[in-house]
């Protein structure tokens, strides 16, 4: 975008640009659950150690707020639905464990001068999302297969559910969190739609041939309780996944 200056740096190095800013939105992290199982040290370094250095940098700049991206993966294969921010986490991977520890580290920096918030992203979708790389979500993969006239590949029977949230709704949640008033306990918010959708429903919304592939180990259900962020910030999701798919076909 015009007028935007981009600095490239490795957050694990501790070397950051000398600039003035009022708000920090921390999204940087390695994001592959599968890779984290094979390289847990990379994820601890990239998420926990790197985040701590970023928070220290922001604090030294006397920022007014820090909003950091966490993940719904910290809930794991919980049997409590919908997921509440206050329930006991059950992370199933080093990625999720590192994000949970990052939340704890963030709380060290939360005070009246620097309002800190952790937001737990559920399954984000939207324009520009990649179908390759570390984090490969079903929606961009299905879209790429649909546009290439290939069968849409669904793992297992497709009855597993996810809570998909539109990227612009996520952006609004971040902005509202950064502008919120200080609370004595650092807020942690679920950012999801509050509705669960089966993977097979998403595949059928695209249309065409559906091919079932080998089932993998993954949580069978995921859905956010968004009561907290709705009541405290007045935020609510605006875009439904299945309606969005219809609009882009």
């Amino acid at each position: 975008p015009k007028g935007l200056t981009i600095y490239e740096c490795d957050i694990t190095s501790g070397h950051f640009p000398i600039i003035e800013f009022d708000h920090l939105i921390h999204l940087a992290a390695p994001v592959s659950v599968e890779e984290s199982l094979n390289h847990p040290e990379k994820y601890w370094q990239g998420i926990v150690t790197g985040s701590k250095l970023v928070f220290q940098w922001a604090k030294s700049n006397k920022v007014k707020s820090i909003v950091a991206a966490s993940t719904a993966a910290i809930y794991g294969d919980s049997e409590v639905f919908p997921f509440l921010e206050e329930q006991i986490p059950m992370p199933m991977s080093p990625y999720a464990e590192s994000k949970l520890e990052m939340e704890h580290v963030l709380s060290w920096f939360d005070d009246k001068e620097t309002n800190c918030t952790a937001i737990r992203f559920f399954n984000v979708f939207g324009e520009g999302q990649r179908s390759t790389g570390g984090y490969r979500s079903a929606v961009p993969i299905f879209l790429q297969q649909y546009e290439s006239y290939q069968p849409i590949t669904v793992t297992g029977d497709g009855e597993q559910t996810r809570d998909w949230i539109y990227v612009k709704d996520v952006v609004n949640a971040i902005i509202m969190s950064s502008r919120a008033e200080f609370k004595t306990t650092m807020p942690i918010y679920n950012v999801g739609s509050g509705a669960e959708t089966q993977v097979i429903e998403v595949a059928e919304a695209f249309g065409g041939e559906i091919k079932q592939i080998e089932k993998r180990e993954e949580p069978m259900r995921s859905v956010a309780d968004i009561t907290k962020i709705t009541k405290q910030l007045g935020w609510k999701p605006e875009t439904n996944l299945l309606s969005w798919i219809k609009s882009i076909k």
Side-chain angles (χ1 to χ4, degrees), residues 25-28 31 67-75 83 95 99 103 118-125 135 163-167 169-171 173-174 177 188-193 222 224:
I25 298 169
H26 177 47
L27 306 175
V31 292
V67 180
S70 187
T71 175
I74 67 105
Y75 296 114
F83 296 153
Y95 166 71
K99 281 290 189 178
E103 293 182 1
I119 52 179
R120 293 173 177 168
F121 293 172
F122 278 69
N123 290 70
V124 182
F125 73 92
Y135 175 70
D163 185 333
W164 273 280
I165 180 69
Y166 187 48
V167 63
D169 289 326
V170 173
V171 170
I174 292 171
S177 296
I188 298 174
Y189 295 125
N190 287 335
V191 175
S193 68
S222 177

Side-chain angles (χ1 to χ4, degrees), residues 85-138:
E85 292 91 343
E86 292 76 21
Q87 73 186 64
I88 298 173
M90 299 176 62
M92 297 173 64
S93 67
Y95 166 71
E97 291 170 354
S98 298
K99 281 290 189 178
L100 185 60
E101 180 62 21
M102 184 274 298
E103 293 182 1
H104 177 62
V105 172
L106 178 62
S107 69
W108 302 346
F109 297 86
D110 184 46
D111 56 33
K112 291 183 178 179
E113 284 70 44
T114 305
N115 186 23
C116 297
T117 306
I119 52 179
R120 293 173 177 168
F121 293 172
F122 278 69
N123 290 70
V124 182
F125 73 92
E127 294 81 4
Q129 192 170 15
R130 294 177 298 178
S131 60
T132 59
Y135 175 70
R136 302 176 72 243
S137 176

Side-chain angles (χ1 to χ4, degrees), residues 153-222:
T153 53
V154 173
T155 56
D157 58 16
E159 292 185 1
Q160 60 271 39
T161 68
R162 294 295 180 265
D163 185 333
W164 273 280
I165 180 69
Y166 187 48
V167 63
K168 290 184 180 179
D169 289 326
V170 173
V171 170
N172 287 335
I174 292 171
I175 293 171
M176 294 174 78
S177 296
S178 71
R179 295 173 176 172
E181 295 181 357
F182 173 74
K183 296 175 178 60
T184 52
T185 301
M186 185 189 81
I188 298 174
Y189 295 125
N190 287 335
V191 175
S193 68
E196 54 184 326
T197 305
Q198 289 186 331
V199 172
I200 192 68
E201 291 181 78
V202 180
E204 289 171 348
F206 280 104
E209 180 185 353
I210 295 174
K211 179 182 178 181
Q212 292 182 323
I213 59 176
E214 185 178 357
K215 184 179 179 180
R216 63 186 180 192
E217 184 177 351
E218 60 179 332
M220 283 304 297
R221 292 183 64 191
S222 177

